[in-house]
Structures are given as C-alpha cells and as structure tokens.
Amino acid sequence: QVQFVESGGGLVQPGGSLRLSCAASGFTLDFRGIGWFRQAAGKTHEGIACVSLSTGADYYSASVKGRFTISRDNAKHAVILQMNNVTSEDTAVYYCAAPRSGCGSGWYTWSDVEVRGQGTLVTVSS
C-alpha cells in the first residue's frame, strides 16, 4: 500500500520561501505523476503543481506558476515543492497526492486523486 508523508510546513513571512517534501513509501511504478494540492480555509482543494515521474515534465496552476517549483527524486521516492515569494493567499494545508491521470488532463481535480497524504499546514503571516 502506497503512503505519502508530507513535511516542511510551518510559518513563513510574506515574500519568504519554504520547501515542502513528500516521501512515498510502498512506491509503485503504476503512478505516472505526483502532484501538490492545497486547501485554504473555507475553500475547495486546488491542484497547484504536478510532475511526471517518467519525464520530469512539470505543470502548474496559474496561481503559483513562476513562484513554485516541483521536482522529483525517483531514487529517494520523494517529490519536492519549492515555494518562493509566498503571499497570504498561499496559506493552506498542502497535500501530496497521486492523480489517476498522472499529470494528464484533469490532474488538478481533487476527485481525480487516487492516493494522498495527511497534509502539512503552511501559514504565511508577518
């Protein structure tokens, strides 16, 4: 059984940086891509980044493109989300998840998620 464990969340000031890590155990090559999703208080889940485990191609939502970078370390079964120039709008619980479609069409849809972690809280505040 595949499990994801997120780490690296915490309090960060506006304009600062944070690095989230997702460790996968029981890793299976059936997953074609791993994504990061987030849920702010009172809002629905938002898919923000996805990385193909085979090609390394990355995909981003408009809300984080140019500020966040997703990368994978296949040897360590880990996926990293580097967050730069954060704002208060980035405050949310961040989840590592495997969409059924990999990073294909609809990867950013929470209903497409097959496996997810428990989440890590990121709070952006001065």
Side-chain angles (χ1 to χ4, degrees):
Q1 183 177 357
V2 175
Q3 290 184 322
F4 295 133
V5 178
E6 302 94 340
S7 62
L11 178 64
V12 59
Q13 292 186 343
S17 298
L18 206 61
R19 185 175 182 267
L20 304 184
S21 180
C22 170
S25 61
F27 183 76
T28 170
L29 293 177
D30 288 341
F31 291 134
R32 291 173 289 165
I34 302 293
W36 283 94
F37 292 73
R38 67 186 182 184
Q39 185 179 30
K43 295 187 178 181
T44 59
H45 291 86
E46 175 190 16
I48 59 172
C50 191
V51 61
S52 167
L53 297 183
S54 59
T55 68
D58 50 1
Y59 307 84
Y60 300 92
S61 66
S63 60
V64 307
K65 192 171 184 178
R67 301 187 298 121
F68 293 7
T69 302
I70 189 172
S71 60
R72 94 276 197 221
D73 185 334
N74 286 350
K76 295 183 178 180
H77 303 315
V79 174
I80 306 300
L81 183 70
Q82 179 65 43
M83 306 168 58
N84 296 328
N85 195 23
V86 298
T87 74
S88 58
E89 297 294 311
D90 297 316
T91 294
V93 177
Y94 284 71
Y95 299 91
C96 175
R100 291 181 181 85
S101 62
C103 296
S105 176
W107 65 264
Y108 45 84
T109 304
W110 187 245
S111 61
D112 193 50
V113 165
E114 184 172 4
V115 179
R116 68 171 179 87
Q118 292 301 306
T120 186
L121 176 63
V122 173
T123 303
V124 182
S125 176
S126 56

